[in-house]
Amino acid sequence: MIPFLDLKAQYASIKGDIDAAVMRVLASAEYVLGEEVAQLEREFAEYCGTRHAVAVNTGTSALHLALLALGAGPGDEVITVPFTFVATVSAICYTGAQPVFVDVEPVTLTMDATKLEAAITSRTKAIMPVHLYGQMADMNAIKAIADRHGVPIIEDACQAHGAEYEGRRAGSIGVSGCFSFYPGKNLGACGEGGIVVTSNDSHARTVRMLRDWGQERRYHHVLKGFNYRMDGIQGAILRVKLRHLNNWTQSRRAHAARYSALLAGSNDVRAPLEAADRRHVYHIYAIRCRDREYLQRALAIQGIQFGLHYPIPVHLQKAHADLGYTPGDFPRSESAARSVLSLPIYPEMTTRQIEEVASAVEQEAHVH
């Protein structure tokens, strides 16, 4: 069997350092926030090229607090895309603001900047592009429109640790960027975690208070806040993993290049493309296929695991029917939802495994 993801292999490769980091926190008894989390914040901010990073308990919380720091609330609108994980939209709803969707580009499946301006109104509080699968959205085009209308950008970079746009790291272009450290991410905790990065001092201060009950200092509650703090053990583990992230990213990119070369001759499968001005970090390697259900069955028979990211766009989810969208409103997102299939990709994969998966995909797609 070839797994979709192998977190046991990752742990085995750095077991000594991870175990030592966990024991260090247990010995310090700094179980919530603490020095390990503070050090992670400094190191991740430097990695992203921002002045600040504020660690929280999930990527969803990061998005929620970044929006609140902008003052998002009832009566406001936040523009994003429907082809994303539901947390992007949930975070907007948590604030009381209204999600407004624009469709995605046909190739990168990130926000289509040519459709953005028409969605902006006097109530638009923020624009939230999603750096899907590990590739950044077209930030120059999005930022030009955002700046013209005086609307801030929050980057949903939950899948894009280390991704770049014209040499700038994900999270460093908008007023803030939000990352998830869910275990399967390119930089994943051994549990839940997230972080907000920003170079805006006021924004960082507000997020820092909001994550910890709105406290300016202990028992002095300036804002109505939340318990969104990061555990000390997760901070320590993430510091260990951050040191390996560049090498892991190189491995992912090499695996993706190998996949793409092997699938290049297929008329039935379309490999993902890296835009010329971007550095894709391949959190997900999602192909587009003509008959996904057939290919799913065929791969399962051969013991090859796969993923679907995402089979139902958010605007067609039952939970968000109240937004009033209907089938056909965002045809590119709906087309992608019907055709994407995520192949196994993780740093510890072997060349032989990549070739076995690609051969099965190419063969089955061609046969059918």
Side-chain angles (χ1 to χ4, degrees):
M1 188 190 80
I2 298 178
F4 181 69
L5 180 65
D6 192 348
L7 293 178
K8 291 181 180 179
Q10 184 189 77
Y11 171 58
S13 72
I14 53 175
K15 182 180 186 302
D17 288 343
I18 292 288
D19 292 356
V22 171
M23 296 307 295
R24 195 165 63 238
V25 175
L26 295 179
S28 74
E30 290 190 323
Y31 301 133
V32 179
L33 297 178
E35 185 55 32
E36 292 287 348
V37 173
Q39 289 275 31
L40 170 69
E41 290 173 335
R42 288 188 281 270
E43 291 162 8
F44 196 71
E46 182 179 359
Y47 178 81
C48 292
T50 58
R51 281 206 301 273
H52 306 282
V54 184
V56 293
N57 60 338
T58 67
T60 312
S61 297
L63 292 165
H64 183 196
L65 297 190
L67 285 163
L68 289 178
L70 287 179
D76 293 327
E77 296 174 347
V78 178
I79 300 173
T80 190
V81 293
F83 193 64
T84 181
F85 183 59
V86 72
T88 306
V89 179
S90 296
I92 298 168
C93 294
Y94 292 167
T95 70
Q98 177 89 352
V100 173
F101 295 128
V102 297
D103 212 349
V104 295
E105 296 176 346
V107 176
T108 67
L109 303 182
T110 58
M111 181 178 282
D112 185 348
T114 67
K115 299 184 181 300
L116 175 58
E117 198 149 24
I120 295 174
T121 72
S122 60
R123 294 191 294 171
T124 304
K125 195 70 174 183
I127 297 166
M128 189 184 286
V130 177
H131 302 329
L132 192 75
Y133 298 158
Q135 178 157 232
M136 291 179 68
D138 187 357
M139 292 304 293
N140 278 354
I142 293 169
K143 193 169 188 305
I145 295 166
D147 289 349
R148 187 156 64 243
H149 291 268
V151 178
I153 294 170
I154 295 174
E155 298 175 59
D156 181 341
C158 287
Q159 301 181 6
H161 313 68
E164 295 178 5
Y165 181 94
E166 294 188 348
R168 297 184 67 182
R169 284 267 165 92
S172 69
I173 297 176
V175 68
S176 64
C178 301
F179 294 84
S180 166
F181 296 133
Y182 187 74
K185 303 293 185 180
N186 292 23
L187 179 62
C190 294
E192 300 276 8
I195 205 163
V196 179
V197 299
T198 182
S199 291
N200 184 303
D201 298 345
S202 174
H203 198 76
R205 179 174 175 272
T206 301
V207 171
R208 201 172 291 280
M209 285 192 290
L210 285 170
R211 74 163 175 191
D212 190 16
W213 295 116
Q215 299 181 105
E216 191 173 44
R217 61 185 191 278
R218 193 165 176 80
Y219 300 132
H220 288 72
H221 301 272
V222 178
L223 303 170
K224 291 187 171 101
F226 305 85
N227 181 5
Y228 282 177
R229 300 171 299 208
M230 177 178 279
D231 291 346
I233 284 175
Q234 302 305 340
I237 289 168
L238 287 163
R239 289 186 67 206
V240 171
K241 291 191 174 188
L242 181 57
R243 299 199 296 268
H244 297 272
L245 183 55
N246 284 335
N247 287 336
W248 288 343
T249 298
Q250 289 175 7
S251 295
R252 284 178 177 274
R253 287 176 54 76
H255 294 339
R258 184 64 180 149
Y259 264 141
S260 295
L262 292 167
L263 296 173
S266 175
N267 294 320
D268 303 293
V269 169
R270 193 182 345 152
L273 289 177
E274 179 181 60
D277 50 4
R278 301 170 222 184
R279 178 181 185 250
H280 201 320
V281 296
Y282 294 100
H283 169 57
I284 298 293
Y285 186 90
I287 60 172
R288 304 282 294 274
C289 41
R290 286 185 183 176
D291 189 338
R292 185 173 65 191
E293 289 189 9
Y294 174 82
L295 188 53
Q296 285 177 250
R297 291 193 297 269
L299 293 180
I301 289 168
Q302 297 190 48
I304 297 170
Q305 293 185 350
F306 51 84
L308 297 179
H309 302 89
Y310 299 94
I312 306 173
V314 181
H315 72 288
L316 299 182
Q317 294 283 358
K318 186 176 179 180
H320 293 288
D322 60 320
L323 296 177
Y325 293 108
T326 58
D329 284 345
F330 304 104
R332 289 173 181 167
S333 294
E334 293 168 32
S335 172
R338 289 190 297 268
S339 62
V340 291
L341 183 76
S342 306
L343 303 183
I345 190 164
Y346 47 93
E348 297 78 18
M349 282 190 83
T350 64
T351 301
R352 183 175 178 178
Q353 285 177 313
I354 295 284
E355 291 172 350
E356 186 177 334
V357 174
S359 175
V361 168
E362 202 279 332
Q363 188 174 32
E364 295 297 342
H366 177 69
V367 166
H368 192 61

